[in-house]
Amino acid sequence: MEPFYRTIIGVARTLFAAQGLKFSITGEENIPETGGAVIAINHTGYMDFTYAGIPARATKRYIRFMAKKEVFDHKISGPMMRAMKHIPVDRGDAGESYRLAVEALRAGQLVGVFPEETISRSFELKAFRSGAARMANEAGVPVIPMVIWGSQRVWTKGHPKRLGRTNTPITIEVGAPIQPFEPAAEMTAQLHATMEEMLHRVQDGYTHEPGAYWVPRRLGGSAPTLEEATAQDEAAAAERRARKARERAAREGAAGDGNDDAGGDRGTSAQ
């Protein structure tokens, strides 16, 4: 029993009802009733992790999501994330988060990961990181593919959030377990192909607005192509690196100025 996690889910479902979100979920039976498993989810919106936990409740289970460390550092979200036993990911020390995830899987937990790592601006599947496959192999557990479609209409990168009553339809499909196998690169390729097939199937059954920002170019929308989105991601990453370099240089400069001041003071007092 996890009263806090259960309460948070209850609050979230109340919020979803107030928003008028209309969920269509298939494949919940593919989530095992017991034992560890990696839940691999596509990433199109900021609310994906809240929606991805819904199918697991069919078997009364909870998903431990891997989330960036900054969320755990926040004074409000941090205690909540730790209480729900989610796993912090520190980009500077990815090995520790990987170790914690494997440990949770071996203990029989469901661990949620986004193999694309960041939100897809094109809403197509980006290239996958191999972490999901490597964790599954090391822990000896399956990977459960899951695709979510429609969450980008609620809140996604580069567009205003729509958290009011929008009556947005959101489709979730859970696929059959993929048993672990080596090499991890081949397992990752199979996972990507499986999830792409699932995503296209879900999209085929969804009504898309021609020209809308949340619709992939392939389906007649105005979202950037995968190639254009990749270029945008690379530019944004370069800017983040440059900003961090400037901030680091400013800190080091300030520290150097402080040392110079201290040295000058000592020299003056010695005269």
Side-chain angles (χ1 to χ4, degrees), residues 252-265:
E252 291 173 353
D257 291 344
N259 290 335
D260 290 343
D261 291 344
D265 291 343

Side-chain angles (χ1 to χ4, degrees), residues 69 89-96:
K69 179 178 177 292
V89 178
D90 184 347
R91 297 288 172 83
D93 185 15
E96 176 62 10

Side-chain angles (χ1 to χ4, degrees), residues 191-210:
L191 176 64
H192 190 284
T194 298
M195 290 179 64
E196 189 164 67
E197 180 182 345
M198 291 168 60
L199 182 61
H200 289 180
R201 180 167 56 248
V202 164
Q203 290 170 335
D204 287 342
Y206 198 97
T207 301
H208 297 98
E209 178 186 345

Side-chain angles (χ1 to χ4, degrees), residues 70-80 82:
E70 290 79 0
V71 179
F72 290 80
D73 292 338
H74 192 274
K75 64 180 181 180
I76 296 177
S77 62
M80 296 172 63
R82 286 187 286 274

Side-chain angles (χ1 to χ4, degrees), residues 27 54 107:
I54 297 175

Side-chain angles (χ1 to χ4, degrees), residues 24 48 60 62 72 89 117-118 138 172 197 214-215 242 254 263:
S24 175
D48 287 337
K60 295 181 171 55
Y62 300 94
F72 290 80
V89 178
E117 196 171 64
T118 59
E138 187 164 340
I172 303 175
E197 180 182 345
W214 55 269
V215 179

Side-chain angles (χ1 to χ4, degrees), residues 130-155:
S130 63
R134 289 188 292 110
M135 287 189 295
N137 274 294
E138 187 164 340
V141 301
V143 173
I144 312 294
M146 180 187 295
V147 297
I148 303 174
W149 190 244
S151 69
Q152 73 273 26
R153 300 177 65 179
V154 178
W155 188 10

